[in-house]
Amino acid sequence: MIFKRRTKPINLEHIDQIDELAATGKPVFIDFWQNGCQPCRTMDGVVNELADEYQESAHVVKVNIRNVPAAAQRFRVMSTPTFVVYGASAKKQSKKSKRPGGGIGERWRASGLVKKDQLEKALERNGAARAHQ
């Protein structure tokens, strides 16, 4: 097959979807954006590439903060674009600490124009791996 259909990011419609996706055990990469935001448009292609490249091991989600304001409030989004990796920690409980390293929560965050390799490192540090092309 010459042309392969690319995997697209998930467009979030309700805040509960984030927890449903995180419950699968895969990291959830969230792109908070809004219409009329030039940096958001600039990052859109990069986010689409991440969705295609990490399709098997991570959920890539786009959240329009105008359509899902509860998500922007929950993650304290002050500017767009804001990127968050959310999900279960890949860390094991340390021998010195009595607290477990696991749990679901925010694992990484950045705002503005971010280089693709930084986004990839954030995903891979949280358990994602590139799909074999």
Side-chain angles (χ1 to χ4, degrees), residues 82-102:
T82 292
F83 306 99
V84 173
V85 175
Y86 181 79
S89 175
K91 296 177 184 173
K92 304 282 188 237
Q93 180 174 339
S94 72
K95 291 181 181 179
K96 291 181 181 177
S97 171
K98 297 293 181 196
R99 290 188 337 206

Side-chain angles (χ1 to χ4, degrees), residues 63-128:
V63 179
N64 184 331
I65 64 169
R66 302 261 190 245
N67 297 343
V68 191
Q73 290 170 344
R74 176 175 170 185
F75 286 91
R76 301 171 316 282
V77 174
M78 299 296 161
S79 64
T80 56
T82 292
F83 306 99
V84 173
V85 175
Y86 181 79
S89 175
K91 296 177 184 173
K92 304 282 188 237
Q93 180 174 339
S94 72
K95 291 181 181 179
K96 291 181 181 177
S97 171
K98 297 293 181 196
R99 290 188 337 206
I104 294 178
E106 188 175 308
R107 301 292 171 210
W108 179 87
R109 177 187 199 98
S111 294
L113 297 173
V114 182
K115 291 182 180 181
K116 183 179 177 185
D117 67 330
Q118 288 179 290
L119 301 174
E120 291 170 338
K121 286 177 186 171
L123 274 166
E124 291 170 9
R125 274 195 307 262
N126 285 282

Side-chain angles (χ1 to χ4, degrees), residues 8-22:
K8 300 253 186 213
I10 299 164
N11 283 311
L12 193 82
E13 295 174 14
H14 194 275
I15 192 166
D16 293 336
Q17 286 176 283
I18 294 172
D19 292 323
E20 291 169 13
L21 293 171

Side-chain angles (χ1 to χ4, degrees), residues 45-71:
V46 172
V47 173
N48 288 338
E49 289 175 15
L50 292 174
D52 193 49
E53 293 170 11
Y54 291 90
Q55 60 188 323
E56 302 295 321
S57 63
H59 299 290
V60 177
V61 178
K62 294 181 71 77
V63 179
N64 184 331
I65 64 169
R66 302 261 190 245
N67 297 343
V68 191

